[in-house]
Amino acid sequence: MKKLLILFGFIALLTAQAQNINCGTEEATITYLGDPAGSHPAAEAATIERFKEVCPNITVNRIEGDANVQNLLAVYLTAFEAQSPDFDVIRVDVIWPGLLAEHLLDLNDYVAQAQIDTYLPALIQNNTVDGRLVALPLRIGFGMLYYRPDLLEKYGFAAPPTTWQELESMAQTIQDGERAAGNSEFWGFVWQGNAYEGLTTNALEWQVSNGGGSIISPEGEIQVNNEAAIAAFERAASWVGSISPPGITSYQEEDARAVWHAGNAAFMRNWPYAYSTTLNSEAIGDSFAVAPLPAGDAGTGASSLGGWHIGVSKYSSQPEAAAAFAAYMTSSENQKFYSIDTSSPPAVLALYSDEDIKAALPFASPDIVEITTARPSTVTAEKYNEVSTLYFSAVHSVLTGEEDADTAVALLELDLEALLGE
Ligand code: GLC
């Protein structure tokens, strides 16, 4: 028995070395504030199981995080202000490195350079603040259009919509038909219209696809008060209660997914994670496909860049063990499983040539980061959350009809100027 244990210990050590994961030798227990319930808890549980093989001396307690990113950020900031060691490892949204940098460890000090070199350089750049690498890239998100080829065919449409106008007319036709056939719950198009970060990503897509700018340009120019943006927000407001449920103004990702999964929507805007959940859903299974989001007046569609990365709290009492978990979770070995489980494009470049990844994520390509639109988080850094809150609140007021679009963007522009000190 003892020999067997020594053998297992030896194998674990070899595996850890092969992956350059520094497990240390001390017993440690760390807390990981992970994915929300309902998303992909199994992918994280499996990650933790695999990590146990690599670093048997480290126990990971996983707690579920809030699905709403503003709420999650508030949890982090409250704990960080108190310098609380309550959690060691956290999920870092792609928009947060600038905001959270001061509370996160510089992972350059803990992770082998060989591993850092495996990630897409644009993500390493995104996560590097004043020379400090504050999070390791894990998964890429981007806005995509989910649709039902069976319904398109039923109503005589040969291909998915390439413009918002086409989407509107297809959605209306399919909705009218399905309602007439007795499904009173059916809607043309579901998306994320609640007043939260998800609306910023949706509205940015409408705005950019219409040629209305990207909120704040990388050079710091405020881009919200223009005809193209106004028209884009007005168009989205016209969907509320017509091709989209009246309650869409309180929908987050999971609300849209619920309607879609029940087979009650022709089109859905969501992130890649919904690809595997849809395949596994009873009502739809593989009767769906994905396409780029439609174009507005700009002539091409736009997709917001999302995604999640892994950081270690500066207030952790077990920084080495926490960094070992962050390194393992984002390692090429684990990302292969994790990407397939969550149907989220990986952050490790070499995985895009992996046959299993290609088969499981046919829509993924390593240039996603370049072809998507980033939210203005780098240029606004620690002010990003306030910028986004002003933006989604203004757009939300247009969606609910509380404010007309002209007034909303004019006020938004003034608020952004005041916040950014122009
Ligand atoms: C997804 C994206 C994330 C974004 C969030 C908004 O989780 O990956 O970047 O902020 O949705 O709801």
Side-chain angles (χ1 to χ4, degrees):
M1 182 65 190
K2 200 168 166 210
K3 269 193 191 146
L4 206 61
L5 279 181
I6 292 175
L7 184 68
F8 277 141
F10 184 63
I11 292 172
L13 188 72
L14 279 184
T15 325
Q17 272 175 353
Q19 292 163 340
N20 279 315
I21 307 292
N22 182 8
C23 304
T25 48
E26 310 267 299
E27 291 288 321
T29 298
I30 56 168
T31 299
Y32 166 55
L33 189 51
D35 263 1
S39 181
H40 283 285
E44 295 202 329
T47 293
I48 292 169
E49 282 302 307
R50 287 188 288 270
F51 179 63
K52 195 99 207 94
E53 305 275 307
V54 176
C55 297
N57 57 317
I58 305 173
T59 302
V60 181
N61 286 330
R62 169 182 176 271
I63 45 179
E64 279 168 5
D66 200 299
N68 177 312
V69 306
Q70 258 82 30
N71 295 349
L72 184 62
L73 181 65
V75 169
Y76 291 173
L77 291 175
T78 309
F80 288 152
E81 282 318 313
Q83 310 206 344
S84 156
D86 285 355
F87 42 78
D88 306 278
V89 180
I90 61 166
R91 297 159 68 231
V92 178
D93 195 326
V94 66
I95 51 184
W96 288 341
L99 245 164
L100 296 179
E102 60 177 307
H103 304 291
L104 298 173
L105 288 183
D106 179 0
L107 294 167
N108 282 313
D109 298 341
Y110 294 85
V111 180
Q113 188 59 42
Q115 176 165 346
I116 296 173
D117 291 342
T118 63
Y119 303 113
L120 293 169
L123 296 176
I124 290 296
Q125 202 182 336
N126 182 75
N127 295 0
T128 302
V129 181
D130 298 330
R132 301 173 65 248
L133 179 60
V134 300
L136 298 173
L138 176 64
R139 65 196 268 192
I140 299 175
F142 66 103
M144 23 199 261
L145 184 70
Y146 288 77
Y147 69 97
R148 296 270 306 274
D150 56 330
L151 292 176
L152 257 55
E153 202 191 310
K154 183 169 168 190
Y155 292 92
F157 301 116
T162 56
T163 64
W164 290 114
Q165 231 167 359
E166 259 174 35
L167 179 138
E168 284 164 4
S169 71
M170 290 185 189
Q172 192 68 60
T173 304
I174 300 173
Q175 181 178 307
D176 292 347
E178 293 299 293
R179 295 258 181 110
N183 184 356
S184 59
E185 315 265 284
F186 196 91
W187 292 98
F189 182 35
V190 290
W191 38 280
Q192 293 81 43
N194 190 20
Y196 80 121
E197 187 62 31
L199 178 54
T200 294
T201 61
N202 282 243
L204 178 62
E205 288 160 355
W206 309 330
Q207 189 181 334
V208 173
S209 69
N210 221 34
S214 56
I215 314 176
I216 318 271
S217 76
E219 294 73 37
E221 187 202 338
I222 296 171
Q223 302 175 325
V224 289
N225 189 2
N226 60 68
E227 287 307 315
I230 292 169
F233 302 151
E234 283 173 346
R235 174 161 53 213
S238 78
W239 301 335
V240 180
S242 62
I243 56 169
S244 304
I248 198 92
T249 51
S250 59
Y251 271 35
Q252 299 190 176
E253 285 82 356
E254 297 297 89
D255 307 296
R257 204 158 69 81
V259 176
W260 165 258
H261 276 273
N264 287 337
F267 299 102
M268 171 175 74
R269 184 269 176 213
N270 217 322
W271 306 99
Y273 83 104
Y275 192 85
S276 56
T277 60
T278 305
L279 275 177
N280 294 331
S281 73
E282 223 169 275
I284 305 192
D286 60 5
S287 302
F288 79 102
V290 293
L293 287 162
D297 290 345
T300 56
S303 171
S304 291
L305 175 68
W308 291 91
H309 304 216
I310 302 295
V312 175
S313 164
K314 214 161 111 179
Y315 316 109
S316 165
S317 56
Q318 314 265 13
E320 283 86 11
F325 179 61
Y328 179 73
M329 186 165 188
T330 59
S331 67
S332 171
E333 175 193 296
N334 190 58
Q335 281 206 23
K336 174 163 174 176
F337 295 112
Y338 185 89
S339 299
I340 293 173
D341 287 352
T342 60
S343 58
S344 293
V348 169
L349 179 60
L351 288 177
Y352 287 88
S353 335
D354 183 287
E355 293 306 324
D356 299 326
I357 293 272
K358 283 199 223 166
L361 290 85
F363 51 84
S365 86
D367 54 5
I368 294 169
V369 182
E370 277 76 37
I371 60 184
T372 49
T373 304
R375 284 161 278 174
S377 55
T378 301
V379 60
T380 59
E382 66 279 356
K383 287 188 178 156
Y384 174 74
N385 194 47
E386 287 163 90
V387 168
S388 179
T389 304
L390 289 172
Y391 180 72
F392 69 63
S393 304
V395 176
H396 195 256
S397 72
V398 179
L399 296 179
T400 57
E402 206 178 298
E403 197 71 86
D404 63 80
D406 292 52
T407 313
V409 298
L411 294 174
L412 171 62
E413 183 177 50
L414 291 176
D415 286 341
L416 289 173
E417 279 168 6
L419 173 67
L420 301 170
E422 279 191 17

